[in-house]
């Protein structure tokens, strides 16, 4: 049985080459490549098609070789031995189905795709074939995150691709929200460190009048004093001008009466100094390498995390106005802070809903029956219950 | 026309000018153009009173009229802009007081209350008219102040010196008026101010046809562009005629007597103390420029004020993203652009007219001009790394001159954190050094301004465009106005629907039309959650969906659903809701007043009680009165804040045409 050993030799060698290449067992060999492999004993007599053909035929018969067709001629790829063993015992139809599924590799094949490609349109018999293959341990059913109700099959020894599983952020077809959240928090932390210079803010005594602050302290602290005052602002615009003497102070550089309540997120923490223009801010790639190289998340996750996935999280953060794009990199929006690990979500939805502008703070801005409200109607300015509540309980009610 | 706007404006007109005016306004708003007999018939107001009320409304420019050359009757129609501007009265007065000083604020506030006023009348009002016997004018002014306090409800400011910021002489008055006119806060009122835009266009066309196209044919490939050019030319000519210019509008030169000079000098520095803005051509005590003609009629230019409000908005946005120092620089930049034609709020009308001169070119300002407009007390180094550790620099023009001066010109030393000793105030310093220090300050400050501007131009919101070599900066205000709108929408969507909804909306704005699945994967959310949010947003008209059937069967299963966010309708929707909110809140003021507070308010307003509230009201009544003031203020402040929303959504971009007449 010298010839069998020769074919096995060929199979092993080719498998070695395939495994050492990027594509793994997916690697497709053309004739020249196979001949290349046969460069030493005992395969050194294989020099051309005529000597190679019998070996290939034998492998094909043993279902170890898949023959593919290209415009440039035939080419081949190899099947793992374990799978080949199962394949040999399949019926013709089963084998057809198996080959369709096999050709899709990690992407998996949707049941309708299998039907189309094999021409077996009959659902019950298709079900039967698939059942048989599954029983034989050759294929498995996988869940496609993008199309939850499309039955998808793939080879049992393959791990489904990111396309099917949804990538690092999915766990058994379900979105791993806590991972996304932690990762976002981490990115905010990292980017903030990289994009701002923190400076301890000078403590301002409450008793200081704005004049003193403006004379001695720098402008930011004066601004802070204003915003601190702004939080207590109740009387709207009238309270702002009478606090300082016009003679002594320069014209106010900006509108003092902030119409919106100061954003608690942006007014806390130490002073942030910006880098000068032209500074290189972290990019998705550098954020990715920071996350994966610093042992922050589980190693398995870190290995599978791609730059694109990081970019996706970064995009979401940009839409959430936590990051902003500058010079092709990212910087945190001024005042955005990260949450301490384990800290409760300090921005519950209700809290978020309180902020807004003149309209959304007024009762009408969030009135569920605004379209029914009108003079002479059942609902009008006099009968409105929201106004009652709003006037009695202050703005936050 | 929008019923909600009509409702709001009617309330405003009623509050400002009484029921009669409001009735006329409502009828005209509902019917469009009417002549006097028709108006008489519809309002059922006696003709004499009707005429009075119309005159009042015309004086406040709330009505336009159209009188044709022929025997046709005069028609009246509503000027929405002016009616809505009633609500901005206080805001504008405050704005100008902040910018140009108390005196200017008061003057503008007067003019706003009068609608328009002639220079002569204003002089009378201030007791400065040549025929009035008084020459001090101070007690008139005092009386006037208290009167205004009542009208506007502004609490009297105890700290304010009575003399400070008051116009006491004719020369000051003229200087102030002239300054406000030059800056565009005031504009002349001419015949054409009373005519609606559409009528003016018709008139222009008639004139052009009569003059240049005797055949009356203005169409065709050759004639049409020529006609358009002529029309634009004529319009521009009119605009120039109507605009204030110091050359044309001076009363006979040299008639100005400097008889008041002595007294002017006594308090000459007081009105100036308020503004140290070096770009402002200051009201000099020795000002002896020509007087304005007494018969010149002026009114307040609301558009100009909107422009400044817009600048303030943008500044606040910059402050949020880049900190106060950069915001101050940006404010100075916007100020230096203010008077350029290209910086004005371009309306659709202007665009339709197709002025080619300022298209595509952004208004720009040089760094030096920014420096001129920058408040010298701003510490430019405070928010940027590097120079931050350097000591505060002053450009030597401000009040800090002499007090603070540069300590270290060596950045390395400063960065090492070594602080040099404060040298005592110019003791040993020869004056030469001082001069060079001032000069060094100046250069340093310019560099830092450039730094801030660079940082601004880097920001993704596109606050400005930097031309490094020319050392100038341009601002694309049109785009920024749109950014303001988007930001405002985001704030509202955030407040109403939460963070995730805002995320989805921003994504749709950026990406265009998307499927549910794409939205879910891009926003890292479960498809179920995304669906809930999208449905809610669709229900409230924020996002919409487009169906794209894959085949002719149009089955839901064979259809692609694309979600999208169209800003235009959403802005309109929010705008309408804001109108309604303002109207309801104003109505609520009335409801509250007529409720439990009625009795006490009436008592407090009785002539015998007024001024002696302390003795004549019981403590319960005082308590109730205080409560009423709080309620009223809460409501009115809310109206003012809603008005801010309207300004952003409707007026800052100039895109909105809903008020055009």
């Amino acid at each position: 049985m010298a010839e069998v050993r020769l074919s096995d030799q060929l199979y092993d060698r080719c498998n070695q080459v395939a495994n050492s290449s990027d594509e793994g067992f997916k690697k497709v060999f053309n004739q020249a490549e196979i001949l290349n492999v046969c460069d030493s004993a005992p395969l050194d007599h294989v020099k051309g098609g005529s000597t190679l053909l019998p070996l290939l035929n034998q492998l094909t018969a043993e279902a170890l070789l898949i023959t593919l067709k290209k415009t440039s001629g035939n080419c081949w790829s190899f099947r793992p031995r374990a799978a080949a063993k199962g394949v040999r015992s399949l019926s013709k139809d089963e084998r057809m189905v198996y080959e369709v599924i096999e050709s899709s590799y990690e992407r998996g094949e949707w049941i309708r795709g299998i039907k189309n490609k094999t021409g077996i349109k009959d659902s019950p018999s298709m079900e039967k074939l698939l059942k048989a293959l599954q029983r034989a341990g050759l294929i498995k059913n996988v869940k496609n995150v993008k199309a939850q109700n499309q039955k998808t099959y793939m080879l049992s020894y393959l791990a489904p691709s990111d396309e099917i599983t949804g990538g690092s952020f999915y766990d058994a077809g379900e979105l791993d929200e806590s991972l996304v959240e932690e990762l976002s928090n981490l990115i905010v932390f990292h980017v903030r460190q990289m994009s701002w210079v923190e400076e301890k803010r000078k403590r301002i005594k409450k008793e200081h009048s704005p004049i003193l602050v403006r004379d001695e302290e720098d402008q930011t602290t004066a601004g802070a004093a204003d915003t601190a005052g702004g939080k207590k602002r109740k009387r709207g615009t009238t309270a702002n001008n009478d606090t300082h003497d016009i003679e002594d102070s320069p014209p106010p550089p900006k509108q003092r009466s902030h119409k919106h309540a100061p954003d608690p997120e942006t007014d806390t923490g130490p002073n942030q100094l910006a880098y000068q223009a032209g500074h290189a801010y972290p990019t998705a790639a550098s954020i990715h390498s920071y996350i994966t190289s610093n042992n922050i998340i589980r190693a398995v996750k870190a290995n599978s995390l791609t730059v694109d996935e990081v970019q996706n999280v970064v995009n979401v953060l940009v839409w959430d106005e936590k990051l902003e794009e500058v010079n092709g990199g990212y910087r945190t929006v001024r005042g955005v802070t990260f949450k301490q690990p384990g800290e409760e979500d300090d921005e519950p939805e209700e809290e978020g809903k309180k902020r807004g502008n003149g309209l959304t703070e007024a009762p009408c801005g969030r009135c569920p029956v605004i379209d029914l409200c009108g003079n002479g109607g059942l609902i009008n300015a006099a009968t409105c219950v929201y106004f009652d509540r709003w006037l009695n309980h202050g703005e936050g009610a | 026309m929008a019923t909600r706007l009509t409702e709001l404006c009617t309330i405003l007109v009623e509050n400002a000018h009484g029921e009669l005016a409001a009735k006329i306004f409502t009828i005209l708003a509902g019917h469009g153009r009417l002549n006097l007999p028709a108006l008489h018939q519809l309002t059922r107001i006696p003709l004499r009173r009707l005429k009075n009320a119309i005159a009042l409304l015309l004086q406040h420019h709330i009505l336009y009229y159209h009188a044709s050359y022929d025997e046709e009757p005069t028609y009246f129609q509503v000027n929405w802009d002016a009616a809505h501007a009633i609500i901005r009265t206080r805001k504008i007065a405050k704005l100008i007081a902040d910018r140009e000083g108390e005196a200017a604020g008061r003057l503008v506030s007067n003019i706003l209350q009068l609608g328009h006023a002639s220079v002569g009348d204003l002089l009378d009002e201030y007791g400065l008219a040549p025929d009035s016997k008084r020459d001090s004018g101070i007690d008139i002014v005092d009386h006037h102040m208290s009167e205004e306090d009542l009208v506007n409800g502004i609490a009297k400011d105890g700290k304010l010196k009575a003399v400070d910021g008051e116009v006491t002489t004719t020369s000051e008055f003229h200087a102030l008026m002239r300054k406000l006119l030059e800056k565009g806060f005031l504009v002349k009122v001419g015949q054409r101010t009373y005519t609606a835009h559409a009528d003016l266009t018709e008139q222009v066309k008639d004139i052009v046809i009569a003059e240049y196209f005797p055949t009356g044919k203005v169409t065709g490939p050759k004639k049409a562009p020529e006609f358009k050019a002529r029309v634009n030319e004529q319009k521009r000519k009119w605009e120039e005629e109507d605009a204030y210019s110091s050359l044309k509008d001076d009363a006979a030169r040299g008639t100005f007597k400097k008889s008041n000079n002595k007294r002017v000098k006594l308090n000459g520095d007081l009105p100036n103390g308020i503004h140290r803005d070096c770009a402002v051509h200051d009201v000099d005590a020795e000002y002896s420029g020509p007087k304005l003609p007494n018969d010149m009629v002026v009114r307040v230019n609301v558009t100009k004020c909107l422009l400044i409000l817009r600048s303030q908005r943008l500044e606040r946005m910059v402050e949020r993203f880049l900190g106060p120092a950069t915001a101050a620089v940006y404010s100075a930049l916007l100020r230096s652009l203010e008077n350029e034609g290209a910086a004005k709020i371009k309306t659709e009308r202007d665009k339709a007219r197709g002025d080619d001169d300022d298209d595509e070119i952004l208004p720009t300002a040089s760094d030096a001009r920014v420096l001129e407009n920058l408040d010298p007390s701003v510490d430019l180094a405070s928010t940027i790394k590097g120079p931050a550790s350097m000591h505060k620099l002053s450009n030597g023009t401000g009040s800090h001159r002499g007090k603070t001066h540069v300590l270290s010109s060596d950045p390395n030393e400063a960065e090492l954190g070594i602080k040099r000793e404060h040298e005592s105030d110019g003791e040993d310093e020869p004056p030469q050094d001082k001069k060079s220090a001032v000069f060094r300050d100046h250069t340093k400050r310019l560099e830092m301004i450039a730094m801030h501007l660079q940082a601004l131009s880097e920001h993704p919101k596109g606050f400005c465009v930097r031309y490094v070599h020319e050392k100038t900066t341009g601002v694309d205000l049109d785009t920024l106005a749109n950014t303001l709108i988007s930001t405002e929408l985001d704030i509202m969507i955030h407040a109403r629907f939460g963070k995730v909804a805002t995320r989805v909306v921003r994504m749709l704005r950026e990406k265009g039309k998307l499927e549910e699945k794409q939205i879910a994967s891009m926003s890292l959310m479960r498809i179920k959650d995304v669906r809930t949010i999208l449905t809610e947003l669709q229900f409230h008209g924020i996002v919409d969906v487009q169906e794209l059937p894959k085949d002719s069967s149009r089955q839901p299963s064979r259809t692609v659903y694309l979600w999208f966010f169209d800003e235009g309708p959403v802005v309109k929707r929010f705008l309408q809701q804001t109108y309604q909110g303002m109207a309801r809140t104003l109505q609520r003021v009335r409801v509250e007043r007529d409720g439990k507070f009625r009795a006490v308010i009436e008592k407090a307003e009785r002539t015998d009680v007024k001024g002696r509230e302390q003795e004549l009201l019981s403590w319960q009544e005082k308590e109730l009165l205080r409560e009423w003031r709080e309620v009223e203020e809460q409501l009115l402040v809310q109206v003012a804040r809603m008005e801010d929303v309207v300004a952003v959504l409707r007026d800052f971009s100039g895109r909105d045409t809903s008020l055009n007449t």
Side-chain angles (χ1 to χ4, degrees):
Chain A
M1 295 294 277
E3 281 213 300
V4 177
R5 273 198 281 114
L6 278 183
S7 65
D8 281 347
Q9 280 277 347
L10 180 64
Y11 177 82
D12 289 341
R13 283 192 192 185
C14 286
N15 249 359
Q16 258 176 25
V17 172
N19 283 336
S20 58
S21 74
D22 298 339
E23 299 153 275
F25 65 91
K26 264 198 280 183
K27 180 158 175 63
V28 174
F29 293 86
N30 57 25
Q31 190 173 333
E33 278 172 310
I34 296 183
L35 287 176
N36 231 356
V37 172
C38 311
D39 50 356
S40 60
L43 290 171
D44 48 0
H45 71 282
V46 182
K47 286 277 179 291
S50 52
T51 41
L52 183 62
L53 192 61
L55 296 175
L56 293 183
N57 277 343
Q58 189 160 7
L59 286 172
T60 312
E62 285 171 19
L64 284 166
L65 197 66
I66 311 156
T67 310
L68 305 159
K69 282 198 175 62
K70 261 192 189 168
T71 43
S72 53
N74 282 352
C75 46
W76 300 268
S77 74
F78 294 86
R79 204 176 264 156
R81 267 181 209 281
K85 205 169 155 194
V87 173
R88 259 173 279 164
S89 59
L90 294 179
S91 73
K92 186 181 147 249
D93 278 356
E94 283 168 349
R95 194 163 177 150
M96 206 151 63
V97 173
Y98 180 85
E99 271 163 10
V100 167
I101 295 173
E102 183 176 48
S103 65
S104 69
Y105 294 114
E106 299 104 323
R107 274 181 291 110
E109 187 70 48
W110 180 25
I111 195 160
R112 189 184 286 171
I114 304 176
K115 282 181 190 170
N116 284 342
K117 284 182 187 163
T118 56
I120 307 170
K121 302 275 179 178
D122 178 20
S123 278
S125 54
M126 177 56 78
E127 288 289 332
K128 227 171 164 182
L129 290 170
L130 289 169
K131 277 252 168 63
L133 285 170
Q134 263 177 296
R135 255 200 313 279
L138 288 170
I139 61 166
K140 63 181 173 188
N141 188 355
V142 286
K143 207 173 191 183
N144 187 345
V145 276
K146 291 209 181 115
Q148 301 270 7
N149 39 13
Q150 289 181 3
K151 271 193 179 170
T152 309
Y153 292 90
M154 66 190 300
L155 297 185
S156 55
Y157 60 87
L158 292 179
S161 70
D162 286 355
E163 225 176 295
I164 299 291
T165 60
S168 311
F169 301 131
Y170 287 83
D171 194 11
E174 284 289 309
L175 181 69
D176 189 349
E177 276 175 338
S178 58
L179 176 70
V180 174
E181 202 173 296
E182 283 306 311
L183 209 57
S184 318
N185 197 19
L186 191 67
I187 292 175
V188 169
F189 167 72
H190 171 65
V191 175
R192 174 159 175 162
Q193 268 194 331
M194 304 296 287
S195 53
W196 297 91
V197 185
E198 310 282 335
E199 187 189 64
K200 282 274 175 290
R201 182 173 280 187
K202 291 175 207 156
R203 282 272 136 242
I204 323 147
K205 283 180 195 146
K206 286 267 157 67
E207 308 86 76
H208 271 205
S209 81
I211 314 162
L212 284 174
V213 172
R214 197 167 293 108
D215 265 353
E216 293 303 320
E217 311 270 4
D218 61 20
Q219 195 61 30
T220 40
T221 51
D226 285 333
T227 44
K231 271 178 193 162
K232 291 197 199 99
R233 178 189 64 80
K234 234 182 166 185
R235 295 290 141 253
T237 51
T238 52
N240 295 299
N241 256 356
D242 47 21
T243 43
H244 55 83
D245 194 338
I246 287 168
E247 281 292 288
D248 294 340
S249 63
K254 57 193 189 312
Q255 179 87 334
R256 291 279 174 228
S257 56
H258 279 243
K259 292 290 186 239
H260 55 262
D263 193 341
E265 249 188 10
T266 57
D267 283 313
T268 51
N271 198 7
Q272 284 181 292
L273 299 186
Y275 283 105
Q276 288 175 28
H279 180 76
Y281 292 103
T283 60
S286 77
I287 296 170
H288 174 254
S289 69
Y290 167 78
I291 293 170
T292 49
S293 63
N294 277 307
N295 214 2
I296 300 166
I297 53 174
R298 265 191 302 143
V300 189
K301 284 283 181 198
N303 287 339
S304 65
L305 192 70
T306 64
V307 176
D308 280 348
E309 283 164 352
V310 172
Q311 181 71 58
N312 201 341
V313 180
V314 167
N315 284 346
V316 170
L317 286 169
V318 171
W319 288 321
D320 283 352
E321 222 167 51
K322 297 231 158 117
L323 300 185
E324 54 193 10
E325 191 180 351
V326 184
N327 286 340
Y330 293 91
R331 146 178 100 189
T332 52
V333 171
R334 190 168 170 274
V336 166
T337 51
F338 79 105
K339 287 197 298 284
Q340 294 293 337
E343 191 180 309
E344 277 299 297
D345 200 345
D346 57 350
E347 191 200 5
E349 206 58 11
E350 278 310 305
E351 188 76 20
K353 282 192 176 185
K354 275 185 192 170
R355 277 187 271 135
N357 60 10
L359 175 62
T360 55
E361 278 175 12
C364 299
R366 271 178 288 151
C367 179
V369 287
I370 188 163
D371 293 327
L372 302 174
C373 184
N375 275 347
L378 195 60
I379 302 159
N380 57 45
T383 60
C384 180
V385 290
Y386 300 102
F387 263 117
D388 287 341
R389 233 178 278 165
W390 185 72
L391 285 170
N392 289 335
H393 303 294
E395 291 187 25
Chain B
M1 188 90 204
T3 49
R4 283 161 172 163
L5 182 61
T6 313
E7 200 180 350
L8 172 63
C9 289
T10 308
I11 296 171
L12 290 174
V13 171
E14 186 175 342
N15 286 348
H17 307 298
E19 233 167 276
L20 199 63
K23 195 166 181 186
I24 297 168
F25 183 86
T26 323
I27 297 282
L28 280 174
H31 288 78
R33 246 162 191 235
L34 289 177
N35 56 24
L36 197 60
L39 200 56
H40 176 55
Q41 203 178 5
L42 283 163
T43 52
R44 298 176 184 279
I45 299 171
L47 209 53
R48 210 171 58 86
R49 294 183 64 201
L50 182 66
K51 280 179 180 169
N52 279 341
I54 287 179
L56 175 78
L57 288 171
L58 280 175
Q59 157 130 7
H60 284 90
H61 301 272
I62 292 167
L63 296 188
Y64 284 129
Y65 72 83
H66 175 67
S68 66
Y69 312 107
D70 313 323
E71 303 251 309
E72 280 176 49
T74 302
Y75 283 91
F76 299 96
Q77 74 183 86
V78 172
N79 175 358
W80 291 101
D81 269 320
H84 187 265
I86 295 174
I87 204 168
R88 297 200 168 117
T89 312
R90 263 185 72 178
K91 209 174 277 179
I92 290 171
K94 184 175 180 305
L95 179 86
I96 291 179
D98 283 351
R99 290 280 300 248
E100 309 292 337
E102 289 292 322
R106 219 155 278 160
L107 177 64
V108 163
S109 162
N110 276 337
I111 300 173
L112 279 171
Q113 274 170 34
L114 293 168
H116 62 230
S118 73
V119 174
D121 289 348
L122 283 169
L123 276 171
D124 266 347
E125 184 101 350
Y126 277 87
L128 297 170
D131 53 340
S132 92
K133 291 285 176 279
R134 311 164 185 274
D135 42 67
S136 100
I138 287 183
D139 42 355
I140 285 277
V141 160
D142 265 349
H143 161 71
H144 173 78
M145 239 174 86
S146 57
E147 178 185 87
E148 195 194 317
D149 281 349
L150 287 176
V151 174
N152 278 351
I154 305 168
K156 196 163 183 173
D157 197 336
K159 286 182 188 170
L160 208 70
K161 292 172 204 157
V163 197
D164 190 21
E166 276 307 334
V167 177
T168 47
T169 63
T170 330
S171 63
E172 276 173 30
F173 173 80
H174 280 290
L176 185 58
M177 286 289 283
R178 190 174 286 280
K179 189 174 79 176
L180 290 175
L181 278 163
E182 266 160 17
K183 291 198 159 194
F185 289 119
L186 298 180
V187 283
K188 285 200 301 178
V189 172
Q191 193 58 40
R192 287 187 274 272
T193 323
Y194 298 98
T195 314
H197 182 76
D199 290 330
L200 280 179
T201 314
E202 285 307 309
Q203 280 180 25
V204 167
K205 282 183 181 163
D206 287 349
I207 291 173
V208 170
I209 289 176
E211 239 177 89
Y212 301 100
F213 299 88
T215 53
K217 185 183 181 303
V218 290
T219 47
K222 230 181 168 179
K223 293 268 183 180
E226 193 192 336
F227 177 65
K228 204 180 157 197
R230 291 279 187 204
V231 167
N232 286 345
E233 190 184 305
Q234 181 68 29
K235 276 189 187 170
R236 220 165 298 161
K237 206 171 112 198
W238 276 8
E239 260 171 33
E240 272 163 29
E241 276 173 26
D242 290 344
Y244 166 79
S245 110
S246 53
L247 288 176
K248 293 185 303 204
D249 291 316
D250 295 336
R253 285 163 173 277
T255 54
F256 185 72
K257 276 186 251 160
K258 299 182 188 173
S259 58
N260 286 335
N261 255 0
K262 199 178 169 193
R263 190 151 41 78
V264 167
K265 270 176 189 158
L266 283 175
N267 53 10
D269 55 341
L270 283 174
N272 294 347
I274 306 155
H275 32 78
R276 301 216 173 87
D277 198 338
C278 21
V280 179
H281 119 110
D282 261 359
V283 190
D284 253 340
E286 277 79 31
Y287 176 81
S288 55
K291 283 202 289 187
L292 296 164
N294 273 348
D295 56 350
M296 186 166 111
V297 181
V298 294
R299 72 187 168 103
V300 176
N301 184 4
V302 180
T303 333
K304 174 78 182 181
C305 299
L306 279 174
L307 190 108
I308 290 165
L309 287 173
R310 179 174 72 179
S311 301
Q312 288 179 347
R313 261 292 158 132
L314 288 170
E315 266 165 65
R316 255 184 281 157
M317 195 152 95
V318 170
E319 191 180 342
R320 155 131 172 59
F321 286 111
L322 294 164
T326 314
V329 173
Y330 196 55
S331 152
L333 171 65
L334 291 177
R335 241 176 226 228
S336 16
L337 295 176
E338 236 161 52
N339 289 324
E340 299 211 6
K344 72 175 183 188
I345 297 177
K346 260 190 230 132
T347 58
E348 288 299 318
R349 278 178 208 155
D350 294 334
K351 281 174 196 157
R353 209 175 61 189
D355 273 348
D356 299 322
D357 6 326
D358 49 28
D359 267 1
E360 315 272 322
I361 304 164
L362 295 181
T364 55
S366 67
D367 290 1
R369 283 210 53 196
V370 176
L371 178 62
E372 275 172 19
N373 279 316
L374 187 64
D375 174 6
S377 66
V378 173
D379 179 11
L380 288 178
S382 66
T383 55
I384 288 197
K385 159 134 173 97
S389 40
M390 275 189 250
H391 196 271
K392 175 161 68 177
L393 299 166
S394 128
N395 68 0
T397 52
S399 55
H400 289 263
R401 169 153 51 168
K403 283 184 211 158
T404 54
H405 45 135
V406 212
L407 293 175
S408 107
S409 51
D410 180 8
N412 293 328
E413 193 182 355
E415 258 167 10
L416 286 171
I418 305 169
K419 253 193 184 170
R420 233 200 252 174
E421 296 269 308
H422 272 261
E423 286 165 50
S424 51
D425 256 7
E427 257 179 274
D428 320 315
E429 263 179 291
Q432 194 53 43
D433 268 16
K434 247 186 186 171
K435 259 185 200 162
S436 72
V438 167
F439 180 73
R440 230 176 20 233
D441 263 15
H442 186 82
T443 327
K444 261 268 134 55
R445 222 166 147 81
L446 268 180
E447 271 171 30
M448 280 214 269
I449 285 174
M451 221 179 261
H452 281 285
L453 290 173
Q454 195 71 38
L456 275 166
S457 68
E458 224 179 47
H459 195 272
K461 298 250 187 218
F463 289 120
C464 63
V465 184
R466 185 90 180 122
Y467 306 107
V468 179
H469 297 297
E470 290 91 345
K471 283 198 185 305
T472 55
T473 317
V475 181
D476 186 355
L477 286 160
D478 278 354
T479 316
L480 278 170
N482 294 339
T483 313
L484 277 179
I485 293 179
S486 303
T487 317
E488 200 69 21
L489 287 182
D490 286 350
I491 291 174
M492 286 192 271
I493 291 168
H494 186 136
R496 274 201 202 169
F497 306 106
K499 183 173 119 187
V500 190
T502 325
R503 182 193 297 174
V504 171
V505 166
R506 284 216 182 96
M507 177 196 298
L508 289 174
R509 182 187 289 139
E510 192 182 310
K511 304 272 181 190
K513 295 183 174 176
L514 291 178
E515 268 189 280
E516 257 172 25
K517 275 180 217 163
Q518 292 170 302
I519 297 174
S521 77
M522 276 202 265
S523 61
L524 295 174
M525 282 189 289
R526 289 203 183 88
I527 203 155
K528 264 192 309 197
D529 304 341
V530 169
R531 206 171 288 147
T532 324
I533 288 167
L534 285 171
T535 319
E536 193 193 354
L537 287 175
Q538 190 194 19
F539 179 77
H540 288 99
I542 311 287
V543 298
D544 215 339
V545 68
Q546 181 186 10
E547 295 176 20
L548 211 66
K550 283 181 186 161
D551 53 28
S552 56
S553 69
R554 308 191 78 90
Q555 286 169 337
S557 59
R558 308 275 306 138
T559 306
V560 178
Y561 291 93
L562 293 174
W563 295 88
F564 62 94
F565 172 70
D566 187 359
E567 212 161 83
V570 181
V571 169
K572 276 194 189 124
R573 213 183 155 80
F574 274 122
L575 198 55
Q576 291 301 325
Q577 289 181 1
T578 320
Y579 289 151
Q580 184 169 348
M582 286 162 82
R584 292 290 170 272
T585 315
L586 285 170
Q587 282 166 350
R588 186 73 188 191
V589 175
R590 216 172 294 170
V591 170
E592 292 288 333
R593 188 172 46 213
D594 291 345
K596 62 173 176 177
F597 301 116
R598 187 182 187 135
V600 69
I601 293 170
E602 275 173 3
K603 186 171 179 193
E605 277 174 359
R606 255 161 50 190
T607 42
D608 57 329
V609 178
K610 209 163 204 168
R612 295 163 64 201
E613 285 94 343
Q614 285 302 331
E615 334 159 14
L616 293 175
L617 293 181
S618 69
W619 69 266
Q620 287 104 328
E621 283 171 326
K622 274 184 228 155
E623 186 63 18
L624 209 56
L625 209 56
R626 195 189 53 78
E627 200 182 316
W628 152 245
R629 289 215 181 97
E630 266 178 24
V631 165
E632 187 189 28
E633 186 157 326
Q634 189 181 349
L635 290 167
L636 290 181
V637 164
Q638 205 58 42
V639 172
R641 301 194 52 198
M642 280 193 256
E643 209 286 312
D644 287 345
V645 179
V646 173
V648 172
L649 294 185
R650 190 189 64 195
D651 298 326
F652 286 171
S653 73
R655 267 190 312 175
D656 195 281
T657 51
S658 61
L659 293 191
N660 286 2
T661 34

